[in-house]
Amino acid sequence: MSRRSRHLAHRLPLVITATLAVAALAACSANPNEGSGSPTTATNATVASGPLKSAVFVNPLPQYPAWRTIGDCIASEAKARGIDFTETGPTGGTLDATKMIQQIQQATANKKGAIITFPASDAFTPVLQQAQKAGIVTGTLYGDGGDVVVGPNYTELGKMFVDAIATRPGQQNLGLLAQSDTGQAKQWADGVMTAAKATSNVKVVGTVYTNDDAAKALDQANALLTAHPEINVMASHMGSVTPGVVAAIKARKLVGKVVFVASGADNGGKEAVADGIAYGAWLQGLCDEGKTILNAVADKAEGKTVASHIDAKETIGTKDDLTTLLGQGWG
């Protein structure tokens, strides 16, 4: 899987770290929307107007809880709109981009009305373009290539992190762990820094990069804390770094002195919040996103005006409300 697809894999806080043989979902990606505030569509192909009759969701990880939630909510919304819906995806516990591409091609050959998927590598773009040229509406989650994209606005996400951190009393010296200094990772970091400058108590004092590689998280977290001992908050847009950051805080006996704002409740995020090591976790409205992408492709098929990029529904869950939010379909 490409560097782009690894970053995509962790941008949801779905955190597919353990199940992907990669280092990241992005949604988001080494860089699906380089230099842009939102993903771009692959084509402006004309779609025949009329009620959407059929749709298929090529699910990257049907057995993974977060993706299972998304798939179920797409299915329920399709049923409500009277759309013949099917779901496919790799049958194992790991993401198989080649299998997904084959299933998209099969859906194109079967003349499905709409195809929804997660673009797990650059190879998805030409395959989605083929579907679009065939008059099929395409929708993508957390990455570009579809006629409609549902995913985070990383600049606004950066501000959301700062807004949550700024509610803490006293000076907040913030250290960031980012995927890289390009693309969506840069958008997030820039959003954090811009928002921090507008506060009276949040200051970004250092940033390290892991390339969304979980194996680098511990070393980079330690490097950040060594270089900037004044740090009392760490934050990341990547679920892959959570175990490493938690381990660094524990090993340095900084529990209660340094807190973490994590990406997602999985991969140790929920436990870190419960233990007081993490102040909060970035969550997305998974069920809402599933319904949104289905309605977007259906509306586009009917000739309605639909935004090419729809921001994901997001929040920061803390110890006070994380369990409640997870029970409401956030993740």
Side-chain angles (χ1 to χ4, degrees):
M1 186 175 293
S2 71
R3 180 171 174 262
R4 172 183 180 277
S5 63
R6 292 199 303 270
H7 179 61
L8 275 165
H10 285 296
R11 288 299 61 76
L12 274 172
L14 302 189
V15 187
I16 302 182
T17 312
T19 38
L20 290 180
V22 301
L25 236 193
C28 299
S29 78
N31 198 9
N33 40 312
E34 183 83 45
S36 165
S38 61
T40 55
T41 54
T43 181
N44 291 319
T46 300
V47 177
S49 296
L52 184 64
K53 295 181 179 179
S54 64
V56 61
F57 175 40
V58 181
N59 191 333
L61 288 169
Q63 299 175 28
Y64 189 82
W67 281 112
R68 183 68 271 129
T69 295
I70 291 173
D72 290 345
C73 290
I74 292 175
S76 67
E77 198 68 8
K79 182 178 180 180
R81 293 190 64 147
I83 298 168
D84 179 32
F85 175 77
T86 56
E87 178 183 305
T88 63
T91 56
T94 58
L95 189 151
D96 185 339
T98 299
K99 182 67 174 179
M100 291 173 67
I101 286 173
Q102 291 172 347
Q103 291 172 337
I104 292 171
Q105 291 171 327
Q106 186 61 55
T108 301
N110 291 342
K111 303 185 186 303
K112 293 290 184 179
I115 297 172
I116 298 169
T117 194
F118 161 68
S121 75
D122 295 321
F124 280 66
T125 298
V127 177
L128 290 168
Q129 288 174 337
Q130 290 171 1
Q132 291 159 352
K133 289 177 182 178
I136 296 170
V137 186
T138 59
T140 53
L141 291 156
Y142 317 114
D144 59 349
D147 293 305
V148 181
V149 178
V150 173
N153 177 317
Y154 283 90
T155 301
E156 289 300 314
L157 178 62
K159 183 178 184 302
M160 182 181 292
F161 271 68
V162 172
D163 288 346
I165 293 166
T167 63
R168 288 169 45 82
Q171 177 62 35
Q172 306 298 304
N173 295 315
L174 177 58
L176 305 180
L177 294 95
Q179 184 264 342
S180 69
D181 60 355
T182 61
Q184 290 177 334
K186 185 177 188 301
Q187 292 166 23
W188 173 75
D190 287 351
V192 169
M193 287 186 275
T194 298
K197 289 176 182 178
T199 72
S200 61
N201 68 328
V202 181
K203 179 182 179 181
V204 178
V205 298
T207 304
V208 294
Y209 305 102
T210 68
N211 196 32
D212 228 339
D213 184 346
K216 296 179 180 179
L218 178 58
D219 287 344
Q220 290 298 336
N222 278 321
L224 188 58
L225 290 166
T226 298
H228 303 280
E230 72 274 27
I231 284 174
N232 56 1
V233 183
M234 303 173 77
S236 182
H237 61 118
M238 303 173 292
S240 58
V241 306
T242 299
V245 172
V246 169
I249 291 173
K250 287 182 175 179
R252 289 171 171 261
K253 296 181 170 54
L254 293 174
V255 176
K257 299 177 181 179
V258 175
V259 296
F260 180 47
V261 182
S263 174
D266 295 328
N267 207 31
K270 178 181 178 181
E271 291 77 12
V273 171
D275 294 341
I277 297 172
Y279 172 67
W282 164 38
L283 305 176
Q284 293 185 71
L286 302 177
C287 190
D288 179 79
E289 291 168 6
K291 292 180 178 180
T292 296
I293 192 68
L294 187 282
N295 284 318
V297 296
D299 288 348
K300 188 170 183 63
E302 292 177 5
K304 297 178 182 178
T305 299
V306 178
S308 60
H309 180 270
I310 301 173
D311 290 349
K313 186 177 179 182
E314 301 168 319
T315 192
I316 301 290
T318 65
K319 193 171 186 177
D320 291 337
D321 60 5
L322 182 61
T323 299
T324 299
L325 289 168
L326 293 175
Q328 294 172 345
W330 293 79

